[in-house]
Amino acid sequence: MISLRNLFRITPLLIILLLASGCRKNQFSLTGQIEGGAGSTLYMSWRAASGTRDFMASQAVPLTASQFKVEGPVKKPSVIWVFSSGRKLLRAIYVERGDELRAEGNMQQPLLWQISGNEVMEEVSEWAVANEKALGGGAPVDVNAAVRAFAREHSGSRSTLFLLFTLYDRALDAKGFFRMLAECKDKEMMAEMKEACLEPVDAASVSLPADMQRRIREVLEPDSVSVAPDTTRQKSKQS
C-alpha cells in the first residue's frame, strides 16, 4: 500500500510524464549524414494523416556537406520514402509522431544506412549490419532470403511487417510473402502497418520498381489524396 508521503513524492513525476506525453507534437524530425552525395538533393514523401484527411506530403531536402535535416507533419505511423535527385527510390524509413530520427551511411548503399530513433528502425539497422553482403549486392533474391531469416526470428513483429511491406519482392515469392504475413496475429497492428507503408500515389513522378508499382494499384484506395507542397502536382480529396 502506498503511503500518503510516498504518494506526494510520486505525483509530481506522474504530472511531468503526463504533460510530456500530452505535448508530443504531430511531427517528426530526421537528420542525416550521407556520404557520397554532397551537393545533391533528396526527395522525401510520407503519409501525413490528420484527424480529417490523409494526404501525401513531399519535400525536397538538399544535402549540404553531406548533411541534411527535414521536419514534417505526421500523426499516424508512416513511412518516409527517400528518393535520389533522379527520383530513384533509395530507402524506406518507418516513423511515428514525435520521433527524432538519425540516418548515417553512403548514398551508394542506402539499404545499409544506420537509422536510430525508434525501435523498428533500430532493429532493421541491426539486421542490415548482419546482412551487409546480401543488402550491399542488392539482388532481390538475396534480399528476400535475408528478410525471411529475420521473419523466422521475429515472427509477426512490427519490424517484420515493415520489411515485408517495403522491401520484400513478392513477385519472386508471393506464397512466402502471404505465409509470413499470416503469422502476424495482431490484425490491428497489421492494418496499421499496411496503411503506414502505402507507397507514394503519384507513380509517374518517381522511379519505382515494377513490383512496388503493382502494390500501389493493389493497395491504395481510389480516393487517396496526394498533396505535394514542394512540387507542382496537387490533388484534391474527393468527397
Side-chain angles (χ1 to χ4, degrees), residues 30 78-80 82 91-95 101 103 113 115 121 162:
L30 170 62
S78 185
V79 165
I80 306 168
V82 184
R91 185 62 193 261
I93 300 174
Y94 177 77
V95 64
L101 300 167
W113 291 0
I115 302 169
M121 293 315 304
F162 169 79

Side-chain angles (χ1 to χ4, degrees), residues 145-158:
V147 173
R148 284 196 298 271
F150 182 89
R152 283 194 294 270
E153 296 182 5
H154 304 83
S155 178
S157 72
R158 192 175 291 270

Side-chain angles (χ1 to χ4, degrees), residues 49-123:
S50 68
T52 57
R53 62 183 182 133
D54 290 353
F55 60 96
M56 292 299 295
S58 299
Q59 187 166 342
V61 183
L63 282 174
T64 305
S66 300
Q67 298 181 353
F68 72 87
K69 181 175 182 178
V70 59
E71 295 180 332
V74 66
K75 187 172 183 180
K76 300 178 181 179
S78 185
V79 165
I80 306 168
W81 300 93
V82 184
F83 301 91
S84 68
S85 56
R87 297 303 201 277
K88 177 182 178 182
L89 179 62
L90 298 176
R91 185 62 193 261
I93 300 174
Y94 177 77
V95 64
E96 295 183 3
R97 63 189 289 259
D99 279 351
E100 297 180 356
L101 300 167
R102 172 75 182 174
E104 297 181 354
N106 190 286
M107 183 72 80
Q108 306 307 315
Q109 294 184 313
L111 295 184
L112 297 178
W113 291 0
Q114 292 296 290
I115 302 169
S116 59
N118 63 46
E119 183 177 358
V120 170
M121 293 315 304
E122 288 168 5
E123 284 187 349

Side-chain angles (χ1 to χ4, degrees), residues 4 21 58 67 124 126 135 175:
L4 187 61
S21 62
S58 299
Q67 298 181 353
V124 169
E126 289 182 10
L135 300 181
K175 289 183 179 180

Side-chain angles (χ1 to χ4, degrees), residues 26 47-55 75-76 195 223-225 237-239:
N26 294 331
R47 192 172 190 179
S50 68
T52 57
R53 62 183 182 133
D54 290 353
F55 60 96
K75 187 172 183 180
K76 300 178 181 179
E195 182 180 35
D223 60 349
S224 293
V225 181
K237 185 172 183 177
Q238 301 298 320
S239 57

